[in-house]
């Protein structure tokens, strides 16, 4: 760390009513040697902003709503070589920042994710949150072919290149999945490192609704797979249609054996089965288009990097 100046790393903390924990979090970062701390606040109604400022952080108020909007706004403002993003709720340790920074400093990663499942305090995850997180990690693995341990972690590190190349749209808690997906799309080198995860402060409430936000996150992962793994996207639809066709078909056959002919249901079964198979063909065709597009994008990225490094050499 000694070769890094404070300006090289910006510690970004999104906050919404985190007065119970924000002060000690900033203090801890400063004692780890990180003084460039940016708090982006979602109009907290408690003392969060005042405490953050008095501990020496730069505080800005986000112009919109939601954690995702806050992160996007902050990313547009930051121009440091590295960015570390961490929740302000005191569930992560400032001392783990070195584990997050290591792959970035070594030049072996563009996006580092802290894995909370490596070491978590009893009660840090509710049963529902633990189950939901694991399900979403699995859904993500099937959709994107990357079996990351903790896609929703709130403790991450990035190079400037990664931050500047992100194209993010999600306004709420879907932002973590979107950043991970965008990194996969852009061929960022992702590294997962173990971190500790603590229980929330007893005075601070979660801003996340496990069922509503969990469903939104699952929808984002599924929706975004259309442009990355269309075979998964259309395949899942295909399986649904085929399953429905199979159920209605079984009923039609059972009735027919008993001497009852169900003509409308037979037609419906045929439509469901045909639509189901059709989805797989859509999937295959889209997969081809997406693969070609990916190759083109890789080539364009490489060309622009070559051009940039050529320009740097001339300068
Ligand atoms: N700026 C800003 N920050 C937010 C907003 N919503 C949540 N945050 C912050 O984002 C961080 C993560 O929010 P949490 O409520 O802890 O969500 P979580 O960590 O995904 O969920 P839990 O597991 O329940 O803690 C915290 O520091 C919040 O204060 C928002 O609308 N704007
Ligand atoms: Mg939290």
């Amino acid at each position: 760390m000694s070769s890094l100046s404070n300006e090289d790393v910006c510690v970004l903390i999104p906050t919404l009513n985190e007065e119970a924990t924000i002060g000690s979090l900033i203090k801890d970062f400063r004692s780890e040697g990180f003084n460039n701390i940016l708090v982006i606040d979602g109009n907290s109604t408690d003392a969060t902003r005042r405490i953050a400022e008095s501990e020496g952080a730069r505080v800005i108020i986000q112009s919109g709503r939601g954690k995702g909007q806050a992160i996007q706004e902050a990313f547009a403002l930051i121009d440091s070589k590295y960015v570390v993003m961490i929740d302000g709720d005191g569930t992560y340790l400032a001392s783990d920042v070195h584990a997050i920074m290591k792959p970035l400093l070594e030049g072996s990663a563009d996006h580092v994710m802290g894995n909370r499942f490596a070491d978590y305090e009893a009660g840090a995850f509710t049963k529902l949150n633990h189950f939901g997180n694991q399900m979403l990690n699995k859904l993500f693995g099937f959709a994107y072919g990357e079996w990351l341990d903790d896609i929703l972690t709130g403790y991450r590190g990035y190079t400037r290149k990664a931050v500047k190349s992100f194209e993010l749209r999600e306004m709420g808690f879907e932002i973590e999945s979107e950043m991970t997906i965008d990194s996969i799309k852009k061929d960022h080198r992702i590294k997962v490192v173990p971190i500790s995860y603590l229980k929330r402060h007893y005075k601070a409430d979660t801003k996340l609704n496990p069922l509503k936000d969990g469903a939104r996150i699952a929808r984002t992962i599924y929706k975004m797979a259309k442009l990355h793994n269309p075979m998964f996207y259309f395949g899942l639809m295909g399986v649904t249609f085929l399953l429905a066709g199979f159920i209605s078909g079984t009923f039609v056959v059972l009735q027919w054996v008993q001497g009852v002919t169900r003509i409308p249901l037979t037609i419906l079964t045929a439509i469901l089965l045909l639509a189901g198979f059709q989805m797989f063909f859509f999937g295959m065709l889209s997969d081809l288009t997406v693969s070609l597009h990916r190759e083109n994008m890789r080539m364009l990225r490489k060309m622009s990097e070559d051009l940039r490094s050529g320009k740097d050499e001339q300068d």
Side-chain angles (χ1 to χ4, degrees), residues 268-286:
L268 180 71
T269 302
I271 291 173
L272 285 172
L273 292 178
L274 275 174
F277 284 116
Q278 194 84 335
M279 287 296 162
F280 282 98
F281 291 118
F282 277 156
M284 269 152 59
L285 279 177
S286 314

Side-chain angles (χ1 to χ4, degrees), residues 18 87 89 91-92 116 197 200 206:
E18 303 291 5
D87 289 351
D89 58 357
T91 49
Y92 299 95
R116 296 171 294 173
Y197 190 52
R200 242 176 187 281
T206 177

